[in-house]
Amino acid sequence: MATGVEIVDADAHMIEPPSLFGELMTRFPDQIGIRTDTRLGVLVEGRPYPYYEGPGAGCPPQNGMTDAPGVDPGSPAGVLANADVDGIDAMVMFPSFGLCVPTIEDPALGSAVARIYNTWAADFCSRSDGRLFAAAVVPIEHGDDAIAVMTEARELGLVCTVVPPALKTRNLDHGDLDPFYAAAADMGMALGVHGAPGIHLPKIGVDRFTNYIQVHCISFPFDQMTAMTALVSGGVFDRHPSLRVAFLEAGVGWLPWFMERLHEHYESRGDWIPGGWRKPPAEYVAAGNIVVTCEPDEKSVPYVVEMLGDECIMFASDYPHWDGAWPHATSELLAHNEGRVSDGTLARVAGANARRFYALPERARP
């Protein structure tokens, strides 16, 4: 960048290729297939992914990507060329279809799909000259299987593990998940809370809407507030003080307000939660347990910095999805923040915080 600021995209996305779907359908013909009702999509265990009609409807596959000319997420070279156009130095890549893995009910199938995806993602990023990094998927509903898959993903070099905002019948503070959190903390694996409508995750608020855009408006922030409430008030960070969790794709403006709301309940009725949180909620932000990602055009970054400091915010482009800002994500980030925050704060938000959170290796700049 002309400004000299390193840009690390903390939440970009893979677009899984037809060859990956072909491998899944070949290996699991009785459990994974193509929809045959004239609608685009994949069937997993008889369920359509995504479902894009009815309560909590997801995005139709043909509308999922940006229509900006020149987008090319199909190869490492294409992604890097797109990153160069937008001035992005490094990217942490989350799944698209792969976000469905936590909802797969058969433990053996969930583990196998996760391993296939993680291996493919690791290979994809290995051909990027140290600029692309992948987030892993795991069958988190299935205890020891999830830990085994996460361990293997870490050995493959993946830098984060995707966690859904809530499980089918459990919230993220359920005691059954403690071995998973302990394993993540022990191996230094960051967790990224990332939902998506239309992939059979619990419907949190979105059951009121059948229009995808209305669903999209509330799904991500409601998901993240649910996840944060569980992790903070449920004492997860007290039991696992080195655990690092990113709350993704909901922006940053909600964080100070929600911290204040959580604090009000902590202060007045915190003892109503047996074994619940032991510290004021903002202390988990200060300790590095909690980070969030900002949208490129958000105007609330200076306010969040004033309230909670500048180490809890990471830049994210959402490349190459329809609601991302590529190829203008970096220019929008700089335009909305240069002169409104210090140079040091801008450098941390733009890249340094993400490099630290994901424990990315330092890369020599040209």
Side-chain angles (χ1 to χ4, degrees):
M1 294 298 296
T3 62
V5 174
E6 182 188 33
I7 307 293
V8 179
D9 188 345
D11 179 18
H13 284 270
M14 299 282 199
I15 300 297
E16 295 88 350
S19 60
L20 184 66
F21 292 104
E23 179 179 356
L24 293 173
M25 288 183 285
T26 298
R27 289 188 57 179
F28 310 105
D30 296 331
Q31 295 168 292
I32 300 178
I34 294 291
R35 293 183 68 168
T36 58
D37 58 358
T38 73
R39 297 186 179 278
L40 290 174
V42 179
L43 290 174
V44 181
E45 299 178 314
R47 298 182 301 273
Y49 285 86
Y51 63 87
Y52 38 95
E53 293 177 327
C59 183
Q62 67 271 21
N63 301 123
M65 278 180 37
T66 177
D67 57 5
V71 67
D72 183 16
S75 68
V79 173
L80 292 176
N82 287 167
D84 289 340
V85 168
D86 207 344
I88 296 172
D89 295 292
M91 306 174 87
V92 177
M93 311 289 287
F94 282 75
S96 292
F97 168 78
L99 290 171
C100 79
V101 165
T103 70
I104 295 176
E105 296 178 356
D106 180 340
L109 179 66
S111 295
V113 172
R115 288 185 168 103
I116 291 169
Y117 173 85
N118 292 340
T119 300
W120 168 78
D123 176 71
F124 188 101
C125 292
S126 73
R127 295 177 281 129
S128 69
D129 192 26
R131 294 179 61 188
L132 303 181
F133 302 87
V137 292
V138 301
I140 193 171
E141 291 276 11
H142 305 303
D144 290 344
D145 292 342
I147 295 172
V149 171
M150 179 169 62
T151 302
E152 294 166 13
R154 189 62 166 164
E155 292 169 352
L156 287 170
L158 278 65
V159 300
C160 180
T161 294
V162 179
V163 174
L167 305 190
K168 186 174 182 179
T169 60
R170 297 173 290 171
N171 289 324
L172 295 184
D173 59 342
H174 197 283
D176 287 352
L177 296 171
D178 275 334
F180 175 80
Y181 295 137
D186 288 346
M187 70 180 74
M189 176 69 94
L191 303 181
V193 178
H194 204 309
I199 61 170
H200 302 280
L201 291 169
K203 295 183 178 68
I204 303 172
V206 298
D207 56 317
R208 307 292 300 183
F209 297 96
T210 60
N211 180 283
Y212 167 63
I213 294 303
Q214 292 175 311
V215 169
H216 192 271
C217 283
I218 64 170
S219 64
F220 291 95
F222 276 38
D223 281 349
Q224 300 297 358
M225 285 186 274
T226 300
M228 188 175 290
T229 298
L231 292 169
V232 170
S233 69
V236 173
F237 295 124
D238 296 302
R239 298 192 295 275
H240 310 283
S242 64
L243 191 66
R244 309 190 310 279
V245 181
F247 298 83
L248 302 164
E249 211 164 313
V252 299
W254 63 280
L255 185 62
W257 166 79
F258 200 61
M259 281 289 110
E260 288 194 333
R261 182 167 180 82
L262 286 174
H263 185 88
E264 174 190 359
H265 291 78
Y266 162 79
E267 195 171 47
S268 62
R269 292 292 186 269
D271 58 348
W272 286 20
I273 301 178
W277 75 87
R278 303 169 191 164
K279 296 186 292 187
E283 291 191 16
Y284 301 109
V285 177
N289 300 120
I290 292 171
V291 301
V292 296
T293 51
C294 69
E295 306 292 326
D297 60 349
E298 276 193 89
K299 298 179 180 179
S300 56
V301 169
Y303 165 66
V304 179
V305 170
E306 179 184 356
M307 296 292 291
L308 294 168
D310 64 7
E311 295 189 349
C312 63
I313 308 170
M314 306 187 296
F315 157 74
S317 76
D318 201 34
Y319 167 92
H321 287 171
W322 69 269
D323 51 336
W326 185 86
H328 307 297
T330 295
S331 60
E332 290 188 5
L333 173 76
L334 298 176
H336 283 86
N337 291 287
E338 284 184 320
R340 301 182 67 221
V341 299
S342 71
D343 291 347
T345 289
L346 183 57
R348 283 184 279 278
V349 170
N353 288 343
R355 192 167 286 280
R356 183 189 69 251
F357 176 81
Y358 292 116
L360 305 183
E362 293 296 328
R363 181 173 182 266
R365 304 208 45 192

